[in-house]
Amino acid sequence: MTNTKNILLISPFFFPEPISTGKFNTNFVTALTAQGHKVTVLCFHPFYPDWKAKKSNEQHKGVEIIRGGSNVFYTKKTIFRRLILEFSFAFFVLRKLRVHQKGKDIVMPVFPPSFAFYFISPFLNKNIRKVGMVHDLQEVYSEGKSGFLNKFVKFFIHKIEKKCYQSCNKILFLSNEMKKEAKKLYNLEENKLEVQYPFITLKNNITNDLSTIFESTKINIVYSGALGEKQNPMKLLSFFSEASKKIQNTAFHFFSEGETIKRLKSINKNKNIHFHNLVKKENLEELYNRSDIQIIPQKENTSKGSLPSKLPNLLASGCKVMVITDAESEIENLFFEKDIDLVVNKWDNNLLIEKLQFLIHKEIDIEHQKTIAKKIFTIDKMILKVFR
């Protein structure tokens, strides 16, 4: 058993945010406190995925939550929205650091955002161990964007992320692919880099609240969770629209919230594509059980930037999964090595429809899929690597 530690986690995303990094951070901190560690979280009031601050006084058992950002206003334009988040959160953390670093053994910045740790690292007590966790490599997502502003932002991201990662005593990545790319981009030392896949969080909740959403006579194809640029939303909508016309007896569903999903809903004219709010966390397993196939999309040339944190839960649920990702990506290699279906390497509607039809009719070994998921997607291993 690891000695009890006093930990300061720094990320704008935390409980009660329902998805993405906020959900990940909450589950991670819950596991830390269950092992007896003391955790303080510097975060913002919930704002994701709507990018609208919602003041919250909700507490989480065993965690000291210090919140800010209740008056931050985010624009609809992605690049400015991210900059507002970076600078406002950095200012908040700088103001809170002096008090809340006292008595801490470990400080854990969760990247992105990165500006906060960039600015506070010179002011951290030298005896505090710095363990970074990387969810996304922002430089990967800035590749290929034209225009002076985007090029300037990419240059800025490179400088900031390089300094942040080099300032850590240890950095934990969610895939080998991310680690290798970051090591190359930022000249990082191998001996302080760790890799651990995201973890399963399903709790065997049995509910029956979604029966009116899904038609049992239909083949239900589902995308659920955060939806942004890295999920290739316009091409995903195009794929759903074409597939609904060519594959009989299908219904396509989006379960998401935020500006991107509002935009897709406004342009959609296909009655076989349905839009829903995010489901409550207690209904997540029911959602997976009622989904005939769940789609995990990644924008072209971005697999090195992140590994979807919902992948473990989907595999552990026994749901059929179709991942759209780059050739020779970590997910493709993992699926091939562990004999799991299905990965598609190209955003071509004809190919996607062909592979979707194949998966609809394929009998998969659900128990094998669950066993593999439970073996490699574990939170205990992640915690061990944080302290190792």
Side-chain angles (χ1 to χ4, degrees):
M1 174 67 182
T2 307
N3 293 331
T4 300
K5 299 294 183 183
N6 203 337
I7 301 165
L8 177 65
L9 187 134
I10 299 174
S11 173
F13 310 103
F14 195 64
F15 173 83
E17 286 185 345
I19 55 173
S20 198
T21 306
K23 179 183 176 184
F24 182 101
N25 289 342
T26 302
N27 287 319
F28 179 67
V29 167
T30 300
L32 287 171
T33 58
Q35 291 190 7
H37 304 291
K38 298 179 180 179
V39 184
T40 301
V41 179
L42 295 182
C43 63
F44 267 2
H45 289 274
F47 64 94
Y48 191 79
D50 291 324
W51 291 89
K52 292 180 181 177
K54 301 171 185 175
K55 194 166 184 177
S56 172
N57 294 316
E58 286 194 63
Q59 297 299 308
H60 197 278
K61 185 178 179 181
V63 184
E64 183 182 12
I65 306 174
I66 312 300
R67 300 190 193 274
S70 60
N71 297 317
V72 176
F73 174 78
Y74 302 96
T75 67
K76 291 186 177 182
K77 190 167 179 61
T78 302
I79 190 169
F80 293 118
R81 195 165 62 190
R82 296 300 307 191
L83 287 172
I84 290 169
L85 173 61
E86 290 277 8
F87 282 110
S88 60
F89 187 63
F91 180 67
F92 163 73
V93 174
L94 274 169
R95 288 190 295 113
K96 300 294 182 181
L97 181 67
R98 185 179 64 82
V99 172
H100 294 288
Q101 71 168 314
K102 290 179 179 178
K104 300 299 188 292
D105 302 299
I106 298 173
V107 61
M108 287 196 65
V110 180
F111 305 116
S114 304
F115 285 17
F117 189 70
Y118 176 86
F119 288 120
I120 70 168
S121 55
F123 303 105
L124 284 169
N125 187 308
K126 304 302 180 186
N127 295 321
I128 298 178
R129 193 159 172 263
K130 300 177 284 292
V131 180
M133 182 177 291
V134 182
H135 279 240
D136 297 326
L137 292 175
Q138 291 299 287
E139 188 166 349
V140 171
Y141 291 105
S142 66
E143 287 288 346
K145 292 185 178 179
S146 59
F148 171 79
L149 182 58
N150 283 312
K151 289 179 180 178
F152 174 76
V153 169
K154 180 185 175 183
F155 172 81
F156 208 43
I157 288 171
H158 178 84
K159 294 293 184 183
I160 296 288
E161 288 193 337
K162 182 177 182 180
K163 173 69 180 302
C164 286
Y165 297 170
Q166 289 184 344
S167 298
C168 290
N169 301 111
K170 176 179 285 190
I171 313 170
L172 190 62
F173 297 91
L174 301 188
S175 75
N176 283 289
E177 205 172 5
M178 292 171 67
K179 186 198 87 168
K180 290 176 183 176
E181 187 68 11
K183 182 181 177 182
K184 180 180 72 174
L185 287 171
Y186 305 126
N187 193 29
L188 303 176
E189 299 173 20
E190 177 69 32
N191 62 3
K192 70 176 187 179
L193 308 182
E194 293 271 13
V195 174
Q196 179 57 45
Y197 290 144
F199 44 83
I200 297 167
T201 60
L202 296 181
K203 301 184 185 301
N204 197 30
N205 289 331
I206 307 301
T207 63
N208 189 32
D209 299 331
L210 308 179
S211 58
T212 58
I213 294 177
F214 293 98
E215 292 184 52
S216 59
T217 58
K218 296 281 189 179
I219 301 165
N220 291 289
I221 316 299
V222 177
Y223 174 82
S224 59
L227 188 64
E229 183 181 0
K230 65 182 180 181
Q231 283 85 26
N232 227 356
M234 293 303 294
K235 289 190 177 181
L236 183 60
L237 179 65
S238 173
F239 162 45
F240 277 13
S241 184
E242 288 300 310
S244 71
K245 298 170 186 174
K246 295 183 178 179
I247 306 177
Q248 295 297 312
N249 204 38
T250 51
F252 291 78
H253 303 267
F254 285 95
F255 287 84
S256 189
E257 294 174 25
E259 291 302 320
T260 301
I261 202 70
K262 289 177 185 176
R263 187 164 66 252
L264 294 191
K265 188 175 181 180
S266 69
I267 64 176
N268 175 61
K269 305 298 181 186
N270 190 322
K271 65 180 182 180
N272 290 319
I273 299 177
H274 310 278
F275 295 85
H276 318 275
N277 290 335
L278 291 164
V279 299
K280 297 177 181 178
K281 60 183 179 180
E282 56 265 28
N283 297 134
L284 193 59
E285 285 162 84
E286 182 186 353
L287 172 63
Y288 293 164
N289 289 333
R290 291 185 181 277
S291 304
D292 291 285
I293 295 174
Q294 281 261 347
I295 308 296
I296 301 181
Q298 289 187 304
K299 187 178 179 181
E300 301 96 327
N301 304 314
T302 64
S303 66
K304 295 176 182 178
S306 63
L307 191 141
S309 59
K310 65 183 173 183
L311 177 62
N313 280 345
L314 285 171
L315 293 178
S317 73
C319 178
K320 289 182 179 181
V321 178
M322 178 172 164
V323 184
I324 310 169
T325 188
D326 299 326
E328 300 183 6
S329 66
E330 183 126 4
I331 295 179
E332 181 180 47
N333 291 334
L334 175 67
F335 275 43
F336 178 76
E337 290 171 7
K338 304 300 183 183
D339 193 24
I340 305 172
D341 284 314
L342 177 73
V343 173
V344 187
N345 297 136
K346 200 173 181 181
W347 280 93
D348 174 87
N349 281 346
N350 290 330
L351 176 63
L352 291 171
I353 292 167
E354 176 189 328
K355 295 297 185 181
L356 180 59
Q357 286 177 312
F358 169 80
L359 189 57
I360 287 171
H361 298 293
K362 181 177 174 59
E363 291 290 332
I364 65 169
D365 189 338
I366 291 175
E367 291 308 313
H368 168 71
Q369 180 176 301
K370 289 182 176 180
T371 299
I372 293 299
K374 291 174 183 177
K375 183 177 180 180
I376 64 177
F377 299 115
T378 68
I379 196 165
D380 290 340
K381 288 182 180 178
M382 180 170 283
I383 292 174
L384 283 173
K385 288 177 180 179
V386 167
F387 295 124
R388 186 163 66 190

